[in-house]
């Protein structure tokens, strides 16, 4: 399941105890639309992380807070702190490897 991340629910989501994968995206972004099914599949497969989507046009405060300048940007948070970041399209294997590396 994916969580729609907002400035209002960010703190409670980050405090949930699970690491977060945040997908910063926008509706007009082609690569964002390409990676969306990959992120959805990761969300359905993994119970060890919370998968969150943050529309940068709807939540500019969160995008600014994380210094997002390129989309898609995927950020892994652990204990509320950023531990890894990647930008651009990734296939399922590459995104899974990125998450696994971030959580080691």
């Amino acid at each position: 399941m994916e969580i729609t991340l907002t400035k209002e629910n960010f703190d409670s989501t980050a405090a949930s105890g699970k690491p977060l994968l945040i997908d910063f995206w926008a509706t007009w972004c082609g690569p964002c639309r390409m990676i969306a099914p990959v992120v959805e599949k990761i969300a359905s497969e993994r119970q060890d992380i919370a998968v969150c989507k943050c529309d940068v046009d709807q939540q500019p405060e969160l995008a600014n807070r994380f210094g997002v300048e390129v989309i898609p940007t995927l950020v892994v948070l652990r204990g509320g702190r950023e531990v890894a970041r990647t930008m651009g399209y990734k296939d399922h294997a590459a995104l899974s490897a990125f998450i696994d590396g971030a959580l080691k």
Side-chain angles (χ1 to χ4, degrees):
M1 180 181 99
E2 295 175 332
I3 299 165
T4 300
L5 202 58
T6 66
K7 66 181 181 180
E8 291 80 18
N9 71 0
F10 175 79
D11 289 333
S12 62
T13 304
S16 71
K18 282 187 177 183
L20 305 183
L21 172 68
I22 306 172
D23 175 14
F24 289 95
W25 68 287
T27 57
W28 49 264
C29 168
C32 297
R33 289 193 305 270
M34 289 172 54
I35 201 170
V38 177
V39 173
E40 288 171 20
K41 185 171 184 185
I42 295 282
S44 70
E45 293 172 342
R46 300 198 62 149
Q47 306 305 313
D48 60 326
I49 61 172
V51 177
C52 306
K53 307 251 322 162
C54 181
D55 183 331
V56 298
D57 291 331
Q58 300 294 319
Q59 298 297 320
E61 299 89 352
L62 279 178
N64 288 337
R65 180 174 176 177
F66 283 91
V68 174
E69 296 178 359
V70 174
I71 53 173
T73 291
L74 293 111
V75 174
V76 176
L77 299 183
R78 189 178 207 173
R81 302 181 71 143
E82 182 176 332
V83 294
R85 172 182 296 233
T86 188
M87 292 167 274
Y89 174 79
K90 303 281 181 285
D91 65 18
H92 184 270
L95 186 54
S96 292
F98 164 74
I99 295 165
D100 290 340
L103 297 180
K104 285 189 176 189

